[in-house]
């Protein structure tokens, strides 16, 4: 009898425990902000099985309750343009508020291998495009390395050295082989076709259109680094925008123009007016920017083919090595450009005034173009919140959050229905959430110290798992999951 009573008591006890711990995690009393519904109010957020199960002004109970009082609770930031996919970059991205960081500009040479290597080893959500640059290099017999290099994680290993594979036009047969290769990468799970046309200047207008045709056929967008910069015709930034908008118009493919800040530089507003005009005429064209006056790329790439100084309106002194801060001279440039060893270089080609106008433009979403060596890797999102929302008052907090969450999520929906569950702080959405202090959030990365993590992100929840806890990365948890395109399903 005593035994029976004991079991009954145990049953009652465990039943009450279950009701008392209704949610896996509760974020209590934060300022909950959702750019899609406009919700901006103090609420409690209940998370269960990786999803946002409840948003309520009533008290919620959970196995763990985190007080978010005085903090903003927003959808985790979605970076559509992140080259550095290794853990060091993911750590600084997480501390900058990103729960998803995708390599969509250039893509990776082997999508299947990329997805396999990251499975179970990723802090935040990941995904990639099929790389036109890599497929072209393969067809010309100079394949890019399939894996990232330890010394230069991020940009140089996905960009070919300038040479025949980048500068020669492809034959019609070669174009068909490139398309075949891209079809295989899309079948392996690529989210889009990534094109770095400036890195493959030999690609004819027809080759570009043929890649857009493939994207339209497979119902995925094209993400592109455009053909050229500057004002000299032919080959101006305006011509480059016209080329890709034209390709989108004649094929029906969705188009995302990457880093319009750096490609268009002083013509940023004119380029944006072209995007605006295309959209007004029903074309699906979107764009992004990062909040820095310098870019970064590979010094032996085709971007620095002869004539770059005149084209970009800069000279050797505006090129800076990230590790040492060395400003280049002609001799040093020639040595590095002609070397087969890859090397990142910072390119100071924009003004703060123009960056400010582009970042605050309503059509522009925020994306970092991040990789080790440039402060944008670690600081992009906090910098926008610190400088444009808090210091300059040039963006409302809700507008800044929209540019970092809802807008990229809607872009992602062109590639996968999973995009609909992201970028929203709503019941039923994925529990990818950033909890930050709007009064203190700041970037700390600089051109001298590019990997200094941001401050002000108190908590980061990735698919329901706490990855940043009281401002620190939780060791040995890898909640990042793959986002894959329609070919894989
Ligand atoms: Zn680029």
């Amino acid at each position: 009898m005593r035994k029976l009573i004991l079991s009954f008591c145990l049953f009652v006890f465990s039943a009450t425990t279950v009701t008392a711990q209704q949610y896996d995690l509760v974020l209590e009393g934060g300022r909950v902000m959702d750019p899609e519904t406009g919700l901006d109010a103090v609420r409690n957020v209940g998370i269960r099985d990786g999803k946002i199960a409840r948003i309520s002004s009533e008290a919620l109970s959970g196995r763990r309750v985190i007080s978010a009082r005085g903090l903003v609770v927003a959808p985790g930031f979605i970076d559509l343009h992140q080259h550095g996919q290794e853990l060091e970059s993911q750590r600084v991205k997480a501390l900058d508020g990103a729960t998803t960081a995708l390599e969509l500009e250039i893509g990776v040479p082997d999508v299947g291998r990329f997805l396999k290597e990251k499975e179970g080893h990723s802090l935040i959500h990941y995904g990639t495009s099929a790389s036109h640059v890599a497929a072209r290099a393969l067809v010309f017999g100079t394949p890019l390395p399939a894996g990232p290099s330890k010394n230069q994680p991020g940009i140089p290993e996905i960009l070919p050295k300038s040479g025949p594979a980048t500068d020669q036009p492809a034959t019609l047969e070669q174009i068909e082989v490139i398309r075949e290769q891209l079809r295989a990468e899309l079948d392996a799970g690529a989210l889009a076709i990534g094109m770095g046309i400036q890195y493959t200047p030999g690609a004819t207008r027809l080759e570009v259109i043929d890649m857009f045709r493939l994207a339209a056929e497979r119902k995925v967008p094209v993400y592109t680094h455009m053909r050229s910069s500057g004002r000299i015709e032919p080959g101006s930034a305006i011509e480059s925008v016209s080329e890709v908008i034209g390709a989108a118009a004649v094929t029906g493919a969705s188009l995302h123009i990457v880093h319009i800040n750096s490609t268009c530089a002083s013509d940023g507003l004119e380029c944006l007016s072209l995007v605006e005009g295309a959209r007004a005429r029903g074309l699906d064209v979107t764009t992004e920017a990062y909040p820095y006056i310098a870019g970064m790329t590979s010094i032996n790439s085709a971007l620095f083919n002869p004539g770059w100084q005149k084209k970009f309106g800069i000279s050797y002194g505006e090129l800076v090595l990230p590790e040492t801060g060395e400003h280049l001279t002609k001799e040093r440039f020639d040595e590095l450009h002609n070397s087969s060893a890859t090397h990142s270089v910072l390119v100071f080609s924009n003004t703060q005034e123009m960056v400010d106008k582009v970042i605050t433009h309503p059509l522009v979403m925020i994306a970092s173009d991040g990789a080790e060596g440039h402060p944008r890797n670690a600081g992009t999102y906090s910098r926008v919140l610190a400088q444009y929302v808090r210091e300059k008052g040039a963006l409302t907090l809700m507008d800044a959050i929209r540019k970092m969450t809802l807008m990229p999520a809607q872009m992602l929906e062109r590639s996968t229905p999973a995009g609909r569950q992201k970028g929203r702080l709503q019941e039923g959405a994925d529990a990818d959430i950033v909890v930050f202090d709007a009064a203190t959030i700041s970037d700390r990365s600089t051109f001298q110290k590019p990997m200094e993590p941001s401050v002000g992100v108190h908590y980061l929840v990735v698919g329901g798992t706490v990855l940043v806890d009281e401002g620190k990365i939780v060791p040995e948890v890898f909640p990042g999951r793959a986002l894959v395109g329609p070919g894989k399903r």
Side-chain angles (χ1 to χ4, degrees), residues 393-413:
L395 283 174
T396 66
L397 182 55
M398 189 65 97
D399 282 342
I401 290 173
R402 177 180 297 110
K403 286 168 173 285
M404 301 169 178
T405 60
L406 182 63
M407 288 171 75
Q410 287 171 332
M411 187 57 217
L412 202 49
E413 287 170 38

Side-chain angles (χ1 to χ4, degrees), residues 81 83 105-106 155 159 195-196 198-199 224-226 258-259 262-263 290 296-297 303 369 376:
H81 188 162
H83 299 296
E105 180 200 34
I106 303 289
I155 291 178
L159 292 175
M195 298 189 76
Q198 197 165 21
Y199 298 106
T224 183
H225 174 130
M226 296 182 291
V258 304
H259 54 47
S262 62
T263 303
Y290 56 82
M296 183 174 74
T297 191
L303 198 125
D369 196 1
R376 65 194 179 192

